[in-house]
Every structure is written in structure tokens, then in C-alpha cells.
Amino acid sequence: MRFIRPDINLDFVGRKKIAFCLSIACIAISFLSLIIHKGPRLGIDFAGGTLIQIKFASAVPIDDIKSGLESIGVTKSSVQQFGQQSNHEFLVRTDISHGSDEGFTDKVKKALESINAGGVEIRRVEMVGPQVGEDLRKKALFAMFYALLFITIYISGRFELKWILSGVVAAGIIGAVYVFNLFNVSIPFLIGAALIVSLVIFWFLELKYAMGAIVALIHDVIITVGIFSIFDKEFTLPIIAALLTIIGYSLNDTIVIFDRVRDNLKIMRKHKFEEILDVSINQTLSRTIITSGTTFLTVAALFLFGGEVINDFAFTMMIGVVIGTYSSIYVASAAALMLGVSKADLMPVKKEGEEQPESQP
């Protein structure tokens, strides 16, 4: 099935400077939002605390809910509407974990029944201790870092045939991260420094093809996190799962394009590398748009009809599909080109006795 005519010839590489400026602007806005909000707003999964979902039979002012909770020692709580206003549902968050309190749910229900005679339903209570939240936060960051690092091994082995070299480098970086982690270095700082060092090492070892893909993935994660910060949404474990899914989705698109580049290098030997990139992107454009479009429609349906619980996950996936498709077409190819990837870097190794195909004019 071809959604786009096969002879289309859009100039993607020629617009790399525009794409570069757009990406830099989005990244700058993302960092600015994170600075203003003092980092992402962490959910109780990572920050620790107590989350209570309450449903009332009739309308109740938020101030009355806070007063009722303060009567049983639940102070400094934030209360917000959950779902449609006609449902009379609220989410209550507090930084204090009340998991050790016996009969905590019953206490909350009795306190809130005193302010609403129509009835109160405690739909869920989630409690995470501060130490557990910190451990989950560390593991989530490490999961994203290792995902990016192992992707570089795969890319280097798949396209540059440097499995052993990339594996040794990755093992060394992982070892260094582990050692520094023993000295209680700030995890965000540690991961950021490790990624920068990784990119520098890949540059000097000329693993530039993998760098194009990894730059695109970092680009996707930063912008997605920035958009979450702009909308002041909470980061929870499902959001981390969505980010890891986005990384895999974007990588798949990038690999498809670079596979076509490798194939075209066999038959377009007299063409410039920029022309080969453009042709390859255009040849895979129909597949990219169809795949991205159907995926976007699926997560959009989840976002619209899946309910509040899955809303943030679907929202993250929607952003990721759009950003990932854009980065596969513009960022990964442009980054590989700007980092100095030449035809020799991508040409498959000639086997002894194998004839090279005739070049096209």
C-alpha cells in the first residue's frame, strides 16, 4: 500500500538548517520550562506520599475537603477535580505517607462524610514511602540511560560492524557509572555527564552513524519531557514506560531509513551522500506516515476514551509519535550527515569474489 506516490522527491536534507533551528528552539523551551517549574512534577511513585481518589454523591467545595482531611492529620494536601465536574470526583495528594496508620481509609471516609451527607466513596488509596520513591526514581533514570546506551551498541554493530568496540566502550561507561553511583553522586547529574561522555567517546572512535540515532533519541526524550513540564503533568511509572516505548518507536523508524540508505549506496555510487539520504527518506516516507498515522490514531483513541487513569500515558505516546517521526526524518539523518558520516562508513563490507553492482548514472 502506497499512501504517497513513489516518485515523490521532497528536499528533506536541504531543509536541515530549518529543522536544526526548530529543534534547538524546542529544546531551549523545554529546558526553560523545567527551570521555571524546578524540574518535572514528580508523582507519588517517585516523590513518595499518599494519593486518595474520592467520589462524592453531590457537589462539595474543595476547601471543605481540605478542612475535613486536616481534622484527621492529613495536612498540606492538594485537592483537584478528577474527570468531569458532574462526577464529583477528586484526587487528594499529600507528601506524607500514611501507610503505617491503621484504618486510614476508614478515617478518611468518616471525616469526609461529615461534610457531605449524600455519601462518600473512597475509590483508591496509594501510598509510597520517600525511600521507595527515591529508589524508583533512580531505577527509572538508569533504565532510560541503559536503553540509550545499548541502542548504540546495536546501531554500531548493525551498520558499522563494530560490535566488539562499541561493547567494550559501553561496558566501560556502565562500570564508571556504577562506581560513581557508590559515592552518592546526584543521579540526574551522573546520567547527564555519562551521556555527554558517551557521545564524545563515540565521536573520537568514529561511531558516528550510531551517534545520529542516539542524538535523535535524546532529542525526543528532552522535548517530550519539556512538553510534560509545560502542561505541568505528573511523572509516574507509566510515563517512564511510555518514554521507553517512544525510544523504541523512534529507533525503529530511524533504522528503516538507514537500511534504505545502505541499500541505495550499492546502486547510487556516483551520487552525493546528501542525495542518497534524500532519496532514501522519500522512498520510505509512505511507510513512515502510514505507521505513524495508525499508531497516532490508536493512542488518540486511548487519550479521548480511555479514561483519566490512562490519559497521561496516551498523551505521552501522542507526543512521542509526532516527535519521533519528525526526528527520524530530519534529526537522525541530518545529525549523521553533520557528524561526518561518509559513504565509506555505511558501505557494506565487500566479500571476497563478490562483484559490485553497476552504478546508476
Side-chain angles (χ1 to χ4, degrees):
M1 177 180 179
R2 285 192 178 273
F3 184 75
I4 298 176
R5 69 177 191 270
D7 60 338
I8 191 170
N9 186 26
L10 300 177
D11 185 16
F12 291 105
V13 176
R15 296 183 175 89
K16 64 179 181 294
K17 292 183 179 179
I18 298 176
F20 179 78
C21 293
L22 178 61
S23 295
I24 291 296
C26 290
I27 291 173
I29 292 172
S30 298
F31 277 119
L32 181 62
S33 176
L34 289 169
I35 292 172
I36 292 174
H37 290 96
K38 298 180 180 179
R41 186 159 69 95
L42 302 177
I44 65 167
D45 292 340
F46 301 130
T50 303
L51 173 69
I52 311 168
Q53 183 179 342
I54 308 164
K55 180 176 176 60
F56 292 94
S58 58
V60 178
I62 289 179
D63 290 338
D64 291 351
I65 298 175
K66 290 183 177 181
S67 299
L69 293 172
E70 288 175 357
S71 66
I72 58 171
V74 181
T75 57
K76 297 182 180 180
S77 60
S78 65
V79 182
Q80 67 181 89
Q81 191 84 35
F82 186 73
Q84 297 181 358
Q85 189 173 358
S86 58
N87 293 336
H88 310 305
E89 286 192 51
F90 297 87
L91 281 182
V92 179
R93 294 179 176 84
T94 175
D95 296 337
I96 303 173
S97 177
H98 298 272
S100 59
D101 295 351
E102 294 184 5
F104 175 71
T105 303
D106 292 335
K107 291 180 182 178
V108 172
K109 187 173 183 179
K110 290 179 180 178
L112 295 178
E113 283 177 343
S114 64
I115 64 172
N116 187 275
V120 178
E121 179 185 353
I122 307 297
R123 311 206 77 172
R124 62 171 166 147
V125 177
E126 298 177 6
M127 304 176 187
V128 178
Q131 185 60 46
V132 175
E134 184 180 355
D135 290 341
L136 289 174
R137 188 164 64 249
K138 288 182 179 180
K139 291 178 180 178
L141 288 171
F142 278 128
M144 296 186 64
F145 169 69
Y146 289 138
L148 293 172
L149 196 58
F150 288 131
I151 282 171
T152 61
I153 300 176
Y154 173 75
I155 293 291
S156 299
R158 171 79 178 271
F159 294 102
E160 298 174 291
L161 302 178
K162 297 179 180 179
W163 289 99
I164 297 177
L165 179 60
S166 59
V168 170
V169 172
I173 294 173
I174 292 173
V177 169
Y178 176 78
V179 170
F180 281 112
N181 188 42
L182 297 177
F183 293 95
N184 294 323
V185 179
S186 172
I187 300 300
F189 175 81
L190 176 63
I191 299 301
L195 284 174
I196 293 173
V197 171
S198 302
L199 291 174
V200 172
I201 292 175
F202 293 145
W203 169 270
F204 280 106
L205 295 179
E206 296 187 351
L207 300 176
K208 299 171 185 176
Y209 193 47
M211 283 188 65
I214 207 70
V215 166
L217 296 181
I218 295 174
H219 164 278
D220 297 347
V221 172
I222 290 175
I223 293 179
T224 303
V225 171
I227 292 176
F228 240 67
S229 175
I230 291 171
F231 285 93
D232 200 27
K233 288 182 173 290
E234 282 190 343
F235 271 83
T236 58
L237 285 174
I239 303 308
I240 297 299
L243 289 174
L244 292 173
T245 305
I246 290 168
I247 289 174
Y249 179 88
S250 178
L251 177 68
N252 180 63
D253 263 354
T254 302
I255 287 176
V256 169
I257 293 174
F258 284 159
D259 259 337
R260 185 56 60 91
V261 171
R262 187 170 58 176
D263 292 340
N264 286 334
L265 282 169
K266 300 177 184 179
I267 58 177
M268 301 176 64
R269 301 176 62 84
K270 293 183 179 180
H271 289 69
K272 294 181 180 179
F273 185 63
E274 291 89 339
E275 296 174 354
I276 297 175
L277 271 178
D278 252 342
V279 169
S280 302
I281 295 172
N282 279 284
Q283 288 176 344
T284 57
L285 189 60
S286 178
R287 178 260 179 208
T288 299
I289 291 180
I290 291 174
T291 304
S292 301
T294 53
T295 306
F296 184 86
L297 289 176
T298 301
V299 294
L302 284 176
F303 178 76
L304 295 173
F305 309 112
E308 294 289 337
V309 174
I310 203 172
N311 187 273
D312 286 349
F313 176 87
F315 179 74
T316 310
M317 290 297 298
M318 288 172 62
I319 297 171
V321 169
V322 175
I323 300 298
T325 303
Y326 161 80
S327 69
S328 297
I329 294 175
Y330 284 104
V331 179
S333 300
L337 183 63
M338 293 172 66
L339 291 168
V341 175
S342 64
K343 290 185 180 182
D345 293 318
L346 299 176
M347 280 297 293
V349 178
K350 179 181 177 182
K351 297 180 181 179
E352 186 176 353
E354 182 181 0
E355 294 185 1
Q356 290 294 337
E358 295 294 330
S359 61
Q360 292 184 350

